[in-house]
């Protein structure tokens, strides 16, 4: 027996749809605020350099701490592409599940490959 839906009836649960939308919005807000917190030191350093009209070399002469803070702010913002996968794994449940599936498949393939290599090695020893 087939299940038919009458025209005008909702196929999916509206509460489930709104819950999915809320989770998506929460995920996007989390990722966006993380990007802002990671990159704001870079922009603050650039504004400070522009207002004081001092290049990085002069900041180094002022003090090592200021120079290291400026260097850290530049490096974290330029390395944000390295942090992207970790942010998505942290905040997106669907991506986390797919990553676990892929990692378990790779682990199982590597494990079977190692076991096959061990079996062929033990067969060579017995012959």
């Amino acid at each position: 027996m087939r299940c038919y839906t009458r025209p005008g009836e909702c196929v999916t649960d509206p509460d489930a749809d709104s819950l999915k939308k809320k989770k998506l919005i929460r995920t996007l807000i989390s990722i966006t605020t993380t990007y802002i917190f990671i990159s704001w030191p870079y922009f603050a350093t650039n504004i400070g350099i522009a207002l004081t009209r001092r290049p990085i070399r002069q900041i180094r002469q002022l003090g090592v701490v200021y120079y290291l803070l400026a260097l850290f702010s530049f490096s974290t913002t330029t390395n944000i592409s390295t942090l992207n996968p970790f942010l998505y794994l942290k905040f997106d449940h669907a991506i986390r599940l797919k990553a676990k599936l892929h990692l378990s498949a790779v682990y199982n393939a590597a494990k079977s490959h190692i076991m096959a290599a061990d079996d062929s090695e033990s067969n060579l020893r017995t012959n």
Side-chain angles (χ1 to χ4, degrees), residues 9-92:
E9 287 185 9
C10 188
V11 177
T12 59
D13 186 21
D15 293 333
D17 284 342
S18 66
L19 183 64
K20 284 182 181 181
K21 286 179 184 178
K22 286 181 183 178
K23 286 179 87 173
L24 176 67
I25 290 170
R26 199 174 323 130
T27 300
L28 291 175
I29 289 172
S30 300
I31 291 171
T32 303
T33 54
T34 304
Y35 282 141
I36 289 170
F37 284 129
I38 288 174
S39 62
W40 79 265
Y42 171 77
F43 295 108
T45 303
N46 278 341
I47 290 170
I49 288 172
L51 291 176
T52 59
R53 296 182 183 171
R54 293 184 181 191
I56 295 288
R57 290 184 185 183
Q58 286 183 359
I59 292 175
R60 186 174 181 187
Q61 292 170 354
L62 281 174
V64 177
V65 175
Y66 296 126
Y67 177 73
L68 290 176
L69 286 174
L71 186 67
F72 178 73
S73 69
F74 287 131
S75 63
T76 55
T77 303
T78 55
N79 290 327
I80 203 164
S81 60
T82 307
L83 298 172
N84 277 340
F86 299 110
L87 291 175
Y88 288 124
L89 284 173
K90 169 77 173 129
F91 292 117
D92 195 351

